Amino acid sequence: MTAMVKAEGVHKSFGAVQVLKGIDLEVAPREVFCLIGPSGSGKSTFLRCINHLEKINSGRLYVDGELVGYRQKGDKLYELKDREVAAKRRDIGMVFQRFNLFPHMTAVENVMEAPVQVKGESKAVARERALKLLDRVGLSDKAGNYPSQLSGGQQQRVAIARALAMEPKLMLFDEPTSALDPELVGDVLDVMRGLAEDGTTMVALTHAMGFAREVGDSVVFMDDGVVVESGHPREVLTNPRHERTKSFLSKVL
């Protein structure tokens, strides 16, 4: 079975600062893969490399068996044109910390926008799916509301519906609950639990250790640009092998 995400020796620097120092990992289809670690560990940068929002400096990164951002001829890599990158990015949904909704569009219009503009879907078809997706994230009664009329948790759930509207094969979550008030976090995590039950392949950066333990199939602890420890959530979170993992978990659990 082809891995949905495969990283081989991925390095990324910003100027003289090495952010990723040789990441090797695999995410299987239908897997919920949780990345944990302190701020500045390279987690967000790695996530952004998966859909080529950041270019890697060396190594190889594959999504569903295809190189991300490049094509290989012989032993040389050639960068894809922006248009080709954008086409491949359609298959990868991304949910950011900040919701990035269009403020002048209603919830349903936000969810419809990409299928209509990018895929050329008819508005009627896009609207029907958008309403189903809003229902799926528990917001069917908010379809006509603008972002300013929604709570942070509701906006984040609209952002998840918007990412799902493109029918991606992979969903990336960049700490989707970190900008939310604590009482709103549960609603967003419930939606992610539902996606996991539906077999959606997810890579989630999360501070919600309960979610990682209950829903995750694998947990990777990153620090200082490297994978320190990985394994089944119960293993890593309750019986970590490395002192650095123990130290981190003692502060967050």
Side-chain angles (χ1 to χ4, degrees):
M1 187 189 293
T2 303
M4 184 57 75
V5 179
K6 186 174 185 180
E8 298 176 343
V10 170
H11 286 75
K12 172 67 182 173
S13 298
F14 294 104
V17 181
Q18 259 200 311
V19 180
L20 300 176
K21 303 172 182 174
I23 301 292
D24 295 292
L25 55 80
E26 280 193 27
V27 181
R30 301 174 71 86
E31 184 173 10
V32 180
F33 191 93
C34 295
L35 279 170
I36 63 171
S39 294
S41 58
K43 306 185 304 294
S44 282
T45 298
F46 177 68
L47 202 72
R48 291 170 67 84
C49 289
I50 293 175
N51 65 357
H52 208 58
L53 288 173
E54 298 289 354
K55 299 174 185 179
I56 66 176
N57 296 115
S58 63
R60 296 280 192 280
L61 194 48
Y62 301 87
V63 170
D64 202 16
E66 292 192 8
L67 269 174
V68 173
Y70 300 89
R71 75 164 52 84
Q72 187 161 348
K73 281 187 183 170
D75 52 4
K76 278 197 169 177
L77 288 183
Y78 298 89
E79 191 164 1
L80 298 179
K81 294 184 172 71
D82 289 347
R83 190 177 68 251
E84 295 171 289
V85 171
K88 289 182 183 292
R89 207 177 272 148
R90 291 179 198 176
D91 292 332
I92 305 173
M94 185 151 184
V95 179
F96 299 88
Q97 292 177 34
R98 297 282 167 192
F99 330 118
N100 300 339
L101 298 177
F102 296 115
H104 61 291
M105 292 183 181
T106 61
V108 72
E109 287 167 346
N110 264 284
V111 179
M112 288 167 59
E113 179 71 0
V116 170
Q117 297 298 333
V118 179
K119 282 187 169 178
E121 264 183 22
S122 75
K123 285 192 175 179
V125 169
R127 183 179 178 81
E128 188 179 339
R129 182 169 338 103
L131 289 170
K132 282 182 184 161
L133 286 168
L134 287 173
D135 184 49
R136 185 174 175 184
V137 299
L139 291 175
S140 53
D141 58 331
K142 303 291 184 188
N145 288 39
Y146 290 92
S148 60
Q149 300 167 314
L150 301 172
S151 71
Q154 289 168 337
Q155 289 186 60
Q156 191 61 294
R157 284 185 279 156
V158 173
I160 293 172
R162 181 179 61 180
L164 291 172
M166 291 294 283
E167 301 178 308
K169 59 175 84 165
L170 170 66
M171 285 285 285
L172 308 177
F173 292 89
D174 189 357
E175 295 178 5
T177 59
S178 66
L180 301 179
D181 293 333
E183 69 268 24
L184 302 175
V185 167
D187 291 339
V188 173
L189 293 179
D190 283 345
V191 170
M192 293 172 69
R193 279 189 190 92
L195 294 179
E197 286 163 11
D198 292 344
T200 306
T201 310
M202 289 194 260
V203 180
L205 272 59
T206 184
H207 293 302
M209 298 300 151
F211 173 82
R213 187 187 287 112
E214 292 164 42
V215 184
D217 297 304
S218 304
V219 168
V220 162
F221 172 65
M222 278 179 70
D223 188 33
D224 196 28
V226 298
V227 172
V228 176
E229 187 160 352
S230 63
H232 190 275
R234 278 194 293 276
E235 240 169 67
V236 175
L237 297 176
T238 55
N239 195 20
R241 297 187 303 276
H242 292 262
E243 286 305 320
R244 183 65 191 94
T245 319
K246 288 177 188 170
S247 165
F248 172 76
L249 291 172
S250 71
K251 296 184 178 79
V252 298
L253 286 178

